[in-house]
Amino acid sequence: MPAAPTVVLNARALERTVARMADEIVERADGTEQLVLVGIQRRGVQIADRVAKVIADREGAQVPRGALDITLYRDDLQTVGPRPIIGKTDIPWAIDGKTVVIVDDVLYTGRTVRAALDELADFGRPARIMLAVVVDRGGRELPIHADVVGRVVDVPKGGRVDVFVSELDGRDEVTLVIAGEEG
Amino acid sequence: MSAPLGKDLLGLEHLSAEQITLILDTADPLREISERAIKKVPTLRGATVLNLFYEPSTRTRTSFEFAEKRMSADTVNIATAASSVTKGETLVDTAKNLEAMKIDMVVIRHPSSGAARFLAERIESNVINAGDGMHEHPTQGLLDLLTLRRKFGTLKGKRVCIVGDVLHSRVARSNIWGLTKLGADVAVCGPRTLLPAAIAEFGVTVFDRVEAAIEWADALNVLRLQLERMTGGYIPSLREYNRVFGVTRERLDRSPRDLVIMHPGPMNRGVEIDSDVADGPHSVILEQVTNGVAVRMAVLYLLAGHAPALAEAAKGGDRS
Amino acid sequence: MTELRDVVLRGGRLLDPSSNLDGVGDLLVRNGKVEALGGNLGTPDGAEVIDCKGQVVTPGFIDVHCHLREPGREDVETIQSGARAAAAGGFTAVCAMPNTDPVTDNQAAIGFVLKQGRAANAARVYPIGAISIGQKGERLAEFGEMVHAGAVAVSDDGKPVVSAQLMRTALEYARTFGIPVADHCEEPTLAAGGAMHEGFVSARLGLKGIPAEAEEIMAIRDILLARLTGGHVHLCHMSTKGSVELIRWGKERGISVTAEACPHHLSLTDAAVEGYNTNAKMNPPLRSAVDVEAVQQAVKDGTIDVLATDHAPHHNDEKSREFADAPNGIIGLETALPVNVTWLVKSGIISLATLVERMSCAPARLFNLPGGTLRRGSAADITVFDPDQAWTVDPAAFLTKGRNTPYGGRILHGRVGCTLVDGRIVFRKMG
């Protein structure tokens, strides 16, 4: 029987967290002028959209948003099994000299971010790259570190943490599942 | 599944609608890579791809080469004659040599129907059919499908007519299979001498006159007419072909719709298609070329890394 | 030379349509001849007794159409290996087509084939001479000299006789010698470049097809020429519905036309080519289901007089090629009986007696060959087989040098137990 998921952040809590993340991002970037948000497919894109909306409300600035699909840059394509579906990559402006904030839902091993860094390097040379994630669950396999973190969640071995967004999943929620005998 | 297309891409006849859709869905986002300043992703780094072309071809071969290089694969080109007179190595021996050289993927174009399958049965490498005799040219069929899908949103119920020498055309066959599987209404149009005797069994409508085809269709795929067809006695002259079957501005203007015009290239301007049509606003011929690279990248991506032993050990799942 | 022993074939079903015989009994072979048939014959001293219980004992099968490749292609078959394969298939005699290298178009070549056949000590080998010198379709070969040397018929098989004038002349000239003229019916301009039957399968596979009409146009031409000349035309490997309808038309008018069909055209359709299987490539090609059915019915009603094999071995290297480049032909001597039994007899289309008539009695009668009968005093050319035994076809075990068969791995019914020629056992099944 799979263990029931625990709600770490409900919809309202997630909204607050995202708002605080947006403030931190602007603070660390010293304003919105060179700021650019790049969401990692899939849910990083929706989170980046919300961050941009908060920034627009608070600062009155429209921060450019892009999407990055890192499938083709993964280091585990040969062993991952099913050929992953490739999502849309859309970075329609030059990133040279910009402050690029990579936005993702969960930071775990760090491999996704490594792939994103490689891919961004093919687009240009930002002045600075930062990482903002909703959940940091630890378990890093590479020396990757998030600059802006929504919530640190300690996930026991075999467990998982998921971020759900209403655009894709019908609800806003962050849940933690501890391993039972998962089906 | 770890190998959604199997080991090889030999044709569209035996692919399911799901498999074809997967290829198109994969190709779509890959178009963007060709827009970048650095037109490269590292996905096939370290993979060796051999372009084995027994028939001369600039466009298809370069399209494959771009696709392979943009995926960071190492490419090798072999252009060789396949005539029985100057036959060098047999296909059997070529297969054995490729096997010994541990090549990951082979893209083969050959004048004999069934040659791609012949090779695929004898080597472990992935084999992509870039055109085998009169049989199939699956990547061309796929890029045609992608082009139409992008234009119409869906292929279901869309009326597509293939105009020209269907009898000898591998592009026509691949198109018929692909379009039918994705729910399009397919027709062919050409002189009866250039249609297979059993054409009715393909489940397509047959138009004897191109005017009727133009009135009916949402899109035309105009095939190249080869000079050999005239010397082979199938049609009396190229001039007559153009006058009777040519896709001309005048004929096109009578279409009740914005008829989409496609052509696999290279074109015989003034024979099967007039320049003002080929260069006109309804033509998607250049878009086909762009989509060709993306489709070929998608096929390489989906076939590569087909390693059954590894797939067994794979765990999959979220590793972010 | 070992002395010829008497042989008793004990307890089999004696089946001889030529003498209306069908009953269980014994058959005594003495001095190379059928000495006696009946129930409970005794066992002479020193006689070899072969238990034929559950098996059928018939006049030996005669194949009027096979390719033994010698002289010229001894790497794929010799007259010896072919004759032995024939014996293994239950054939006591075969007629060897002349498309050898050099072509068998003169008395010396005929003599060579006969000599090799005798040395093989297996099935009898009767040479067929070419119609034209070199099979070039230009000048008539010396029918008289060839017949005198032992030729039993003439044919340019491998190729059609393209010129109607030449065919007419051949039919007229052959009358002098009372031999059939066997034609491979193929209109060359319609068939040119074709690799398989023209139909949906060829359109899907992207292979140039040979329409049925390519065969039918020449069939009716030959039938009309037979009418014109009064000669005997024998139509080889008939494969289409249209052809058998035309033969029927000719026979109804008393024209001297006979026809043969081969096992593959009675059992497989063009679907067998799927996957570009070169072991399903031959000329005339495998046709549609409608054609197969029509030819089966023609075997039943006698429109097809004779079942032949068109045994055509090829080297594995030659068949391991792109489909369009692979040579035409499949082997057939060792699969003819089981294929015919499985598709014609077991399916209820013809009786076993009709099968024997088509495989033995008719070939002998129409080609004027000894054999085709178990009458007392006739040469003991006998086939013993089990029509019910099921077995898996294993090409590696064949006696022919060829391996090019589409039936590999299939389970068929009908197995040869032993074959006798002139009272000698030339084949015996192991185990």
Side-chain angles (χ1 to χ4, degrees):
Chain A
M1 275 257 286
T6 320
V7 177
V8 175
L9 294 173
N10 62 19
R12 182 74 191 99
L14 180 58
E15 198 185 336
R16 272 186 230 114
T17 303
V18 169
R20 195 235 327 135
M21 284 170 66
D23 282 344
E24 266 194 62
I25 287 170
V26 174
E27 187 188 346
R28 284 174 190 268
D30 288 320
T32 60
E33 267 206 32
Q34 296 299 318
L35 189 56
V36 150
L37 300 175
V38 175
I40 295 187
Q41 294 283 12
R42 291 198 297 163
R43 290 172 179 76
V45 172
Q46 283 73 32
I47 300 294
D49 284 345
R50 290 162 193 225
V51 167
K53 189 159 184 313
V54 170
I55 294 176
D57 288 342
R58 298 256 231 260
E59 309 279 331
Q62 296 298 332
V63 172
R65 281 181 329 289
L68 202 65
D69 182 284
I70 56 97
T71 311
L72 296 171
Y73 287 77
R74 288 174 69 145
D75 61 3
D76 60 349
L77 277 177
Q78 300 295 94
T79 57
V80 75
R83 220 73 178 126
I85 309 290
I86 301 174
K88 196 159 135 55
T89 292
D90 185 21
I91 314 243
W93 12 256
I95 58 173
D96 289 348
K98 299 283 184 198
T99 298
V100 173
V101 179
I102 298 173
V103 181
D104 205 1
D105 53 348
V106 178
L107 173 59
Y108 178 23
T109 60
R111 294 188 186 272
T112 299
V113 176
R114 196 269 330 144
L117 290 172
D118 275 354
E119 188 163 1
L120 280 176
D122 282 348
F123 279 90
R125 192 180 183 283
R128 190 177 165 198
I129 300 179
M130 291 200 291
L131 174 63
V133 297
V134 177
V135 172
D136 179 347
R137 65 168 280 188
R140 221 74 80 234
E141 290 174 2
L142 297 174
I144 300 279
H145 134 98
D147 301 280
V148 174
V149 179
R151 176 70 66 104
V152 174
V153 177
D154 193 20
V155 181
K157 187 172 165 181
R160 57 181 292 121
V161 62
D162 292 294
V163 173
F164 296 105
V165 293
S166 51
E167 298 92 322
L168 295 175
D169 310 302
R171 69 192 192 282
D172 288 339
E173 199 173 65
V174 177
T175 60
L176 166 67
V177 179
I178 296 164
E181 287 103 4
E182 271 189 273
Chain B
M1 47 177 306
S2 56
L5 301 182
K7 175 173 89 78
D8 315 291
L9 179 66
L10 302 178
L12 299 186
E13 184 185 350
H14 299 295
L15 290 188
S16 67
E18 288 73 40
Q19 287 171 308
I20 293 177
T21 303
L22 173 65
I23 298 174
L24 300 184
D25 287 345
T26 306
D28 225 339
L30 294 181
R31 289 170 28 106
E32 169 265 328
I33 296 167
S34 299
E35 312 280 335
R36 301 183 189 178
I38 298 181
K39 296 171 178 41
K40 223 187 229 310
V41 293
T43 321
L44 288 189
R45 202 167 70 92
T48 321
V49 183
L50 170 67
N51 294 321
L52 186 57
F53 275 62
Y54 288 92
E55 270 181 356
S57 156
T58 320
R59 54 201 308 117
T60 304
R61 217 203 67 211
T62 47
S63 180
F64 266 106
E65 231 188 300
F66 281 136
E68 293 149 13
K69 290 190 146 94
R70 285 177 191 172
M71 301 286 273
S72 298
D74 291 325
T75 66
V76 177
N77 291 314
I78 295 181
T80 181
S83 87
S84 9
V85 178
T86 64
K87 233 183 197 25
E89 219 169 41
T90 63
L91 207 43
V92 170
D93 281 330
T94 301
K96 292 186 178 156
N97 287 332
L98 293 181
E99 197 87 85
M101 289 194 277
K102 307 270 185 246
I103 290 180
D104 297 294
M105 309 178 81
V106 179
V107 176
I108 177 171
R109 167 170 282 197
H110 195 285
S112 210
S113 300
R117 182 179 177 140
F118 185 93
L119 190 66
E121 283 171 350
R122 287 160 177 75
I123 56 176
E124 286 285 308
S125 326
N126 305 113
V127 174
I128 298 175
N129 182 8
D132 63 330
M134 307 193 298
H135 176 229
E136 285 224 47
H137 191 355
T139 55
Q140 179 72 43
L142 289 164
L143 73 89
D144 289 343
L145 291 172
L146 183 63
T147 308
L148 286 174
R149 190 174 85 161
R150 288 180 57 86
K151 200 78 183 173
F152 294 133
T154 173
L155 284 159
K156 269 199 165 48
K158 289 298 166 202
R159 297 171 160 188
V160 183
C161 184
I162 303 166
V163 183
D165 181 2
V166 175
L167 177 62
H168 297 98
S169 170
R170 51 194 175 212
V171 172
R173 281 170 183 78
S174 291
N175 262 275
I176 290 173
W177 300 127
L179 288 164
T180 320
K181 282 168 204 279
L182 294 192
D185 247 326
V186 185
V188 297
C189 173
R192 288 280 175 169
T193 52
L194 292 177
L195 298 181
I199 187 65
E201 294 187 60
F202 281 86
V204 302
T205 311
V206 179
F207 291 109
D208 283 303
R209 300 309 296 264
V210 73
E211 289 84 356
I214 285 174
E215 204 195 296
W216 171 87
D218 295 312
L220 293 186
N221 199 340
V222 185
L223 302 176
R224 171 190 173 78
L225 182 76
Q226 284 164 311
L227 186 60
E228 302 91 87
R229 302 306 163 226
M230 188 181 80
T231 54
Y234 292 92
I235 50 161
S237 66
L238 299 184
R239 188 182 133 260
E240 168 128 315
Y241 184 83
N242 176 261
R243 289 178 67 85
V244 179
F245 294 97
V247 179
T248 63
R249 176 91 265 144
E250 192 192 26
R251 290 194 168 116
L252 216 54
D253 284 342
R254 293 206 209 102
S255 165
R257 294 166 213 97
D258 279 331
L259 195 48
V260 171
I261 302 295
M262 296 166 60
H263 192 300
M267 289 183 280
N268 281 319
R269 290 168 180 269
V271 179
E272 69 265 5
I273 190 169
D274 281 358
S275 281
D276 51 4
V277 172
D279 302 327
H282 296 116
S283 158
V284 295
I285 294 174
L286 293 177
E287 223 198 285
Q288 286 174 275
V289 177
T290 309
N291 291 334
V293 180
V295 158
R296 288 165 178 134
M297 290 173 73
V299 170
L300 290 164
Y301 170 73
L302 289 168
L303 286 182
H306 170 68
L310 288 176
E312 291 301 308
K315 288 187 176 70
D318 186 35
R319 297 281 294 167
S320 53
Chain C
M1 173 105 155
T2 50
E3 209 184 275
L4 194 58
R5 291 173 70 181
D6 294 348
V7 178
V8 176
L9 301 172
R10 174 139 292 145
R13 174 182 168 193
L14 304 173
L15 180 57
D16 178 12
S18 77
S19 53
N20 266 319
L21 169 64
D22 187 356
V24 173
D26 300 343
L27 191 154
L28 170 63
V29 175
R30 171 167 285 167
N31 292 326
K33 301 216 184 306
V34 175
E35 170 91 354
L37 309 108
N40 291 317
L41 300 181
T43 308
D45 286 340
E48 176 161 11
V49 178
I50 298 177
D51 177 15
C52 296
K53 185 150 162 258
Q55 299 192 72
V56 184
V57 178
T58 74
F61 304 144
I62 299 173
D63 182 14
V64 300
H65 187 148
C66 71
H67 299 273
L68 300 185
R69 303 302 189 212
E70 187 180 2
R73 287 305 304 271
E74 292 82 357
D75 57 324
V76 298
E77 193 86 285
T78 60
I79 291 171
Q80 177 179 83
S81 63
R84 288 185 179 168
F91 291 92
T92 53
V94 298
C95 301
M97 281 293 180
N99 60 331
T100 47
D101 178 17
V103 170
T104 303
D105 61 6
N106 61 79
Q107 53 180 334
I110 298 287
F112 173 74
V113 172
L114 273 175
K115 169 173 161 287
Q116 295 298 83
R118 272 193 291 267
N121 233 339
R124 298 176 200 272
V125 178
Y126 297 115
I128 295 181
I131 291 173
S132 61
I133 302 285
Q135 290 191 320
K136 290 208 174 109
E138 290 159 12
R139 280 175 47 213
L140 228 50
E142 292 171 316
F143 290 8
E145 296 284 2
M146 291 196 295
V147 169
H148 185 72
V152 301
V154 289
S155 178
D156 272 355
D157 181 74
K159 299 176 180 176
V161 175
V162 176
S163 157
Q165 175 58 30
L166 180 68
M167 188 66 185
R168 173 190 184 161
T169 314
L171 282 165
E172 284 169 336
Y173 192 53
R175 283 191 72 175
T176 309
F177 310 100
I179 52 168
V181 177
D183 193 25
H184 164 113
C185 297
E186 182 187 344
E187 202 290 314
T189 63
L190 279 180
M196 64 174 292
H197 175 60
E198 183 182 274
F200 187 40
V201 179
S202 70
R204 279 176 36 238
L205 294 180
L207 292 170
K208 185 155 198 288
I210 302 172
E213 284 74 3
E215 176 178 294
E216 294 154 10
I217 285 173
M218 296 305 241
I220 188 60
R221 180 201 76 168
D222 290 347
I223 292 167
L224 293 173
L225 290 175
R227 180 173 70 178
L228 176 64
T229 61
H232 170 188
V233 73
H234 177 78
L235 301 178
C236 299
H237 41 53
M238 290 279 97
S239 71
T240 84
K241 176 168 185 276
S243 291
V244 301
E245 283 169 359
L246 293 168
I247 297 164
R248 217 169 264 132
W249 178 92
K251 287 186 172 189
E252 276 162 15
R253 280 149 187 75
I255 298 172
S256 180
V257 51
T258 60
E260 76 194 26
C262 297
H264 40 281
H265 293 118
L266 299 162
S267 55
L268 302 174
T269 65
D270 53 355
V273 176
E274 205 65 63
Y276 300 95
N277 180 11
T278 56
N279 281 333
K281 183 179 184 190
M282 80 291 291
N283 196 9
L286 298 173
R287 304 281 189 185
S288 72
V290 166
D291 294 306
V292 170
E293 216 205 299
V295 180
Q296 287 174 336
Q297 289 304 312
V299 171
K300 177 179 176 160
D301 71 17
T303 303
I304 297 289
D305 306 86
V306 154
L307 290 168
T309 69
D310 198 9
H311 174 88
H314 285 290
H315 200 285
N316 190 45
D317 289 347
E318 297 170 287
K319 280 288 200 178
S320 285
R321 273 207 200 139
E322 303 91 292
F323 192 88
D325 295 339
N328 283 310
I330 58 169
I331 50 176
L333 287 169
E334 290 163 272
T335 49
L337 174 71
V339 172
N340 289 338
V341 166
T342 305
W343 269 274
L344 294 176
V345 178
K346 284 274 173 260
S347 58
I349 297 175
I350 61 173
S351 66
L352 218 46
T354 306
L355 181 73
V356 176
E357 154 69 20
R358 304 275 185 268
M359 286 184 77
S360 177
C361 313
R365 192 175 61 245
L366 299 176
F367 276 61
N368 241 323
L369 303 170
T373 180
L374 293 179
R375 276 203 183 81
R376 263 188 214 83
S378 56
D381 286 3
I382 304 171
T383 307
V384 180
F385 68 94
D386 183 342
D388 299 311
Q389 192 190 352
W391 58 292
T392 308
V393 176
D394 176 20
F398 285 155
L399 293 186
T400 166
K401 287 188 181 185
R403 296 286 173 265
N404 47 322
T405 174
Y407 299 105
R410 288 225 199 196
I411 297 171
L412 302 179
H413 287 89
R415 198 116 200 237
V416 175
C418 69
T419 310
L420 289 87
V421 171
D422 258 347
R424 282 169 302 108
I425 300 169
V426 293
F427 173 76
R428 199 155 187 179
K429 179 170 75 84
M430 305 294 203

